Amino acid sequence: MRTERVAAIVGVAESDLGVTPGKTVLQLQAQAAKAALDDAGFTKDDVDALFTAGNWAWSPNLMLGEYLGIRPKFTDGTNIGGSSFESHVGHAVAGIQAGLFDVALITYGSTQRSDQSRNKPAPIATLTDQYERPFGLPLTVGAYALAAMRHMHLYGTTSEQLAEIAVATRKWATMNEKAFKREPIETADVLESRMIAEPLHLLDCCLVTDGGGAVIVASARAAARAKKKPVWILGHGETHTHQSIVNMPDLTMTGARESGNRAFEMAGVTREEIDVAEIYDSFTITALLTLEALGFCKPGEGGAFVSGQRTAPGGAFPMNTNGGGLSYCHPGMYGIFLLIEAARQLRGECGQRQVENAKLAIVNGTGGVLSSTSTLILGRD
Amino acid sequence: MSSQIPRPLMDSDSQPFWEGLKRQELMIQRCDECHQHIFYPRVLCPHCFSDKVAWTQATGRGHIYSYTVVHRAFGPFSDQVPYVVAIVELDEGVRMMTRIVGDREAIKIGVPVEVIYEKVDDELLLPYFILR
């Protein structure tokens, strides 16, 4: 590790997860924000930068700042989909390095399950949507299905290999009392679950839940007075390559190739040194493509890489140790939960599912339809 | 086909495309500077950033770049399942989203296809593709 200790994650928390009838997106974020500040041993008055992303308001930052009573001197509402929060962390490090602020609060909240809002159709297709929406590709699953189909065609990847990811992720979920789905599953369960968009079955798809989360990023100076040991932010990279799946340059190679390379380079660590991986799993194919793009295996070798329950508890490559978007929670934009779990793993707080002696973690968010990617390398002293 | 599908809202970028479909012509753009074809239409070439983009009629022939068979859909599409949505790469090198109609068993990545015009109503024809 060669990175200067500029900033660290010092507090993380979820709100209530799963089904939260009667709760609002603001309540969930307030609950998570308070718990994350408590985790850090900070108060609201320590916060001088506010980051959030969501589609629940015209300007989520303004409404959230007002609701929480926070008047930030730095604010960032970058919204590149589910990977927004990894980017928020990267942007917070840049802002701290520039001396603009010391403590950032990053939040997310969603009530999509209770609202049943996920698939409401809009009647008019404008701008670039007009060339796509009349054909009826169900988003986001259909776009990921197109990528999966092409990966299978090019490389012979099988549904059984994709199912390995779902089965392994569920094993982690059995050890997380907060996970929405905890009963073990086998490969046959995935393959026999309802087909949604070929080749993706129901159990290749993430959950639809409510939930919120918050992360506190602090300068090295501020981190020194935090209650918890710092989880240092060692490297970051981000990019987006397209908005709609038709315009993805190569359906089987995501922008994580570039964001990952930049994050590893900044951190000065190698892929072999990574102890735990938190990889956005909106679908099984999302995780598989990301592992290839990040360079943990070669393009086309993702199926073999995840075979034999390699990413499961006890496997050589611990991945999505909270149960992931596939089994733990997925309130629409999952990225903040990757950060929460990575921080807890590096702090050794994960109990039964703790990865032994985890010192370095990679976090990779994916947003849109494989559209954006944001990679972080995190480490403890 | 249901006219309750999301209607394209024609704009000054897209007007020649949608008007062309009404004449059963698949219109795309080509850059006069770098000579690459462009889809969807726009005022700047996304390859070389030239503003010298011109309309041309595509051959309507290409191959399936990827596809999915949709078994669960929402809203106006829910009563059409199962159906095939695909990305077709035209011989001109551009990709577009479409539907593939015809023998489901013969649909594979790489197979050659050509455009047909699916009439939604008098104001809207959509470019679908069939195997050739």
Side-chain angles (χ1 to χ4, degrees):
Chain A
M1 285 182 263
R2 67 160 182 250
T3 307
E4 185 191 350
R5 275 16 182 196
V6 173
I9 294 173
V10 295
V12 294
E14 301 120 317
S15 70
D16 292 343
L17 302 176
V19 190
T20 61
K23 290 258 172 45
T24 72
V25 292
L26 288 166
Q27 287 171 344
L28 293 176
Q29 288 177 95
Q31 186 190 21
K34 186 171 175 61
L37 284 166
D38 287 348
D39 186 46
F42 287 1
T43 72
K44 173 172 86 74
D45 295 337
D46 291 305
V47 175
D48 53 4
L50 184 62
F51 295 69
T52 192
N55 304 312
W56 46 270
W58 162 73
S59 178
N61 289 57
L62 299 187
M63 201 182 285
L64 187 72
E66 179 185 283
Y67 188 92
L68 297 177
I70 288 174
R71 185 170 170 168
K73 59 184 181 188
F74 189 98
T75 187
D76 180 345
T78 297
N79 187 347
I80 54 171
S83 57
S84 298
F85 312 94
E86 283 67 41
S87 284
H88 291 166
V89 171
H91 301 179
V93 175
I96 287 168
Q97 192 158 32
L100 301 177
F101 56 87
D102 276 305
V103 177
L105 167 64
I106 304 169
T107 77
Y108 175 68
S110 162
T111 53
Q112 67 161 17
R113 186 180 180 93
S114 294
D115 297 345
Q116 298 186 306
S117 63
R118 191 170 157 114
N119 296 300
K120 278 181 187 162
I124 303 290
T126 63
L127 297 175
T128 65
D129 280 350
Q130 65 184 299
Y131 312 106
E132 316 232 327
R133 292 195 43 241
F135 300 103
L137 186 73
L139 291 175
T140 53
V141 61
Y144 285 83
L146 289 166
M149 193 72 90
R150 185 152 178 92
H151 200 273
M152 288 177 164
H153 169 78
L154 287 178
Y155 301 119
T157 307
T158 65
S159 291
E160 286 79 3
Q161 289 172 329
L162 290 179
E164 290 262 10
I165 295 171
V167 171
T169 309
R170 182 63 62 89
K171 285 179 187 165
W172 288 110
T174 65
M175 298 188 285
N176 182 359
E177 61 185 22
K178 290 178 180 161
F180 194 71
K181 293 279 189 187
R182 299 188 64 193
E183 64 282 8
I185 55 172
E186 304 288 340
T187 299
D189 297 316
V190 183
L191 300 183
E192 288 163 16
S193 65
R194 192 153 63 105
M195 188 63 83
I196 304 296
E198 294 181 30
L200 299 180
H201 303 78
L202 179 66
L203 291 180
D204 287 300
C205 304
C206 66
L207 306 167
V208 178
T209 69
D210 302 333
V215 171
I216 312 295
V217 174
S219 66
R221 186 178 54 186
R225 58 182 172 81
K227 196 164 74 184
K228 290 285 178 70
K229 288 260 167 48
V231 172
W232 297 106
I233 302 148
L234 304 174
H236 173 242
E238 65 186 13
T239 189
H240 42 86
T241 50
H242 59 282
Q243 190 270 131
S244 79
I245 195 70
V246 178
N247 296 294
M248 186 168 182
D250 173 345
L251 237 56
T252 61
M253 180 49 66
T254 85
R257 181 169 52 186
E258 289 88 39
S259 65
N261 280 340
R262 284 195 285 273
F264 275 110
E265 189 182 348
M266 189 187 293
V269 303
T270 67
R271 285 152 181 82
E272 291 69 32
E273 292 176 271
I274 296 294
D275 300 306
V276 59
E278 306 298 339
I279 306 289
Y280 206 100
D281 58 342
S282 44
F283 301 93
T284 50
I285 186 67
T286 320
L288 186 140
L289 292 178
T290 304
L291 289 171
E292 294 181 4
L294 289 173
F296 288 106
C297 57
K298 294 199 174 90
E301 293 181 354
F305 185 85
V306 301
S307 289
Q309 289 297 285
R310 184 170 184 172
T311 65
F317 192 85
M319 179 175 86
N320 297 343
T321 50
N322 54 2
L326 292 168
S327 289
Y328 148 74
C329 82
H330 198 301
M333 295 167 79
Y334 175 67
I336 203 159
F337 302 97
L338 299 166
L339 295 163
I340 293 167
E341 177 68 5
R344 286 178 177 158
Q345 283 286 348
L346 295 178
R347 298 194 312 204
E349 296 174 345
C350 289
Q352 199 188 351
R353 68 178 193 278
Q354 179 65 45
V355 174
E356 200 179 339
N357 199 28
K359 293 182 73 172
L360 273 175
I362 188 166
V363 174
N364 193 87
T366 302
V369 287
L370 296 162
S371 310
S372 70
T373 175
S374 187
T375 313
L376 289 167
I377 310 287
L378 305 176
R380 65 167 166 84
D381 289 320
Chain B
M1 191 170 114
S2 167
S3 61
Q4 301 305 305
I5 64 164
R7 301 280 302 196
L9 185 66
M10 194 188 296
D11 56 38
S12 52
D13 270 335
S14 67
Q15 186 173 10
F17 174 71
W18 293 115
E19 293 292 346
L21 290 170
K22 283 199 238 176
R23 302 187 304 270
Q24 306 211 359
E25 293 174 357
L26 185 62
M27 301 300 293
I28 62 174
Q29 290 174 316
R30 183 171 178 269
C31 175
D32 282 343
E33 296 274 352
C34 74
H35 309 301
Q36 297 194 68
H37 286 87
I38 300 163
F39 188 79
Y40 47 86
R42 57 197 91 175
V43 297
L44 289 173
C45 172
H47 306 292
C48 74
F49 229 48
S50 164
D51 57 3
K52 298 190 173 45
V53 290
W55 285 93
T56 183
Q57 187 175 348
T59 59
R61 294 160 74 89
H63 64 273
I64 297 176
Y65 179 76
S66 195
Y67 72 97
T68 180
V69 186
V70 177
H71 291 266
R72 180 147 195 256
F74 299 95
F77 299 110
S78 58
D79 56 2
Q80 299 176 10
V81 294
Y83 56 87
V84 178
V85 180
I87 299 174
V88 161
E89 187 167 288
L90 296 180
D91 289 351
E92 288 84 357
V94 298
R95 292 181 203 149
M96 55 177 58
M97 192 169 287
T98 186
R99 291 268 190 106
I100 307 289
V101 294
D103 179 10
R104 185 77 47 82
E105 293 304 307
I107 292 171
K108 300 271 186 287
I109 289 175
V111 303
V113 291
E114 65 186 350
V115 70
I116 58 169
Y117 299 92
E118 169 77 12
K119 185 172 179 176
V120 178
D121 55 41
D122 287 344
E123 292 304 307
L124 179 62
L125 276 75
L126 292 174
Y128 281 16
F129 283 77
I130 57 168
L131 307 181
R132 61 179 160 93

